Amino acid sequence: MVRTDILVNSPIFLIGLVHTLTKAGIKVVAMRTSPAVDASCLANAALIDVDALRIPDDLKHITEVAKSAPVLVLSNSDCIEAEMYMRAGALGVVSKLESCEVIIGAIRAVTSGSRVWPAESGGEPTALHADTSGYHLSKREEQVLRHISRGLTHGQIATRLGISSHTVDTYVKRIRVKLGGGNKAELTRAALLGRPAAESRNTRLPKQSETVSLIREIA
């Protein structure tokens, strides 16, 4: 059974969240309204509402809690700040505006060790794209990586996909985290070889015929 520790400063939101989790078979072992209160050692997942934190001062609270349990941050929107929470130690970020099903799915995902990113505006729920293998890109991330492999700039990719350059930058950052790559050459190599970039740096790239076939597979 999933046991959760919840940090929420809104009584109304807390009541609704506890009801939702309980109905889904997720046990709430502790409820906190301030990061000054220690998280429960009985929890195997921690939910932290950004409204209960003072950013950036309380980011260290995410880091501390993450040492003993996977942290899922509850944000107010499809926030670009997700990377900041991830760097602090959170395993996932999900918007409070998402459906109960998506939030529950995100909790179960981080509990199993998967990363969860917030959905982009108009996109599919991120919980459906949780990274369960260390190498798993969403459909949109695959599109961005495919364009990168063809040598397109972020601006050109944004025009092709009908999104902003800032959003493309965010996707590239996510891809780097998932693939463990640094520069674009390493990311493309990792995608084509189907393994994290750290394992691919000393591996030969596929021949041209193999590359075309592999690109088609992720298209």
Side-chain angles (χ1 to χ4, degrees):
M1 172 183 289
V2 177
R3 300 181 302 276
T4 60
D5 172 278
I6 301 176
L7 172 57
V8 176
N9 69 345
S10 169
I12 295 177
F13 180 65
L14 178 61
I15 292 173
L17 183 59
V18 171
H19 174 76
T20 297
L21 298 186
T22 302
K23 187 176 180 180
I26 296 176
K27 186 175 182 179
V28 178
V29 296
M31 295 176 285
R32 300 178 293 134
T33 58
S34 169
V37 179
D38 293 335
S40 173
C41 61
L42 300 177
N44 51 21
L47 276 62
I48 297 180
D49 180 5
V50 294
D51 287 335
L53 302 177
R54 294 170 300 165
I55 304 299
D57 295 345
D58 286 338
L59 286 178
K60 60 185 179 181
H61 181 69
I62 295 177
T63 305
E64 288 301 314
V65 176
K67 292 179 181 179
S68 57
V71 173
L72 177 66
V73 172
L74 303 175
S75 69
N76 290 310
S77 62
D78 307 332
C79 62
I80 297 299
E81 290 78 12
E83 186 180 359
M84 175 176 64
Y85 302 132
M86 293 292 209
R87 286 200 305 266
L91 195 57
V93 179
V94 66
S95 171
K96 291 185 287 185
L97 302 178
E98 290 284 9
S99 66
C100 295
E101 290 77 11
V102 170
I103 294 177
I104 294 299
I107 294 172
R108 297 191 186 284
V110 298
T111 303
S112 66
S114 302
R115 286 183 178 274
V116 177
W117 292 92
E120 289 295 328
S121 179
E124 298 178 8
T126 302
L128 299 179
H129 300 308
D131 181 10
T132 57
S133 65
Y135 172 70
H136 180 78
L137 303 181
S138 69
K139 182 178 179 180
R140 181 66 88 182
E141 288 164 351
E142 288 176 350
Q143 291 175 330
V144 170
L145 184 56
R146 184 169 67 249
H147 287 311
I148 287 175
S149 69
R150 293 172 178 170
L152 272 65
T153 66
H154 288 198
Q156 291 171 328
I157 295 173
T159 300
R160 294 282 184 91
L161 299 181
I163 56 181
S164 69
S165 295
H166 186 65
T167 300
V168 173
D169 292 342
T170 299
Y171 279 125
V172 172
K173 290 176 182 177
R174 295 181 185 180
I175 293 169
R176 282 175 175 157
V177 170
K178 291 184 178 183
L179 299 188
N183 57 41
K184 293 180 179 179
E186 290 178 350
L187 292 180
T188 302
R189 180 191 294 266
L192 294 177
L193 295 177
R195 67 191 69 171
E199 301 175 10
S200 308
R201 291 179 182 128
N202 297 321
T203 307
R204 74 167 182 85
L205 282 172
K207 297 178 181 178
Q208 184 176 3
S209 59
E210 296 172 328
T211 300
V212 172
S213 176
L214 285 166
I215 288 179
R216 285 173 178 170
E217 289 180 8
I218 65 172

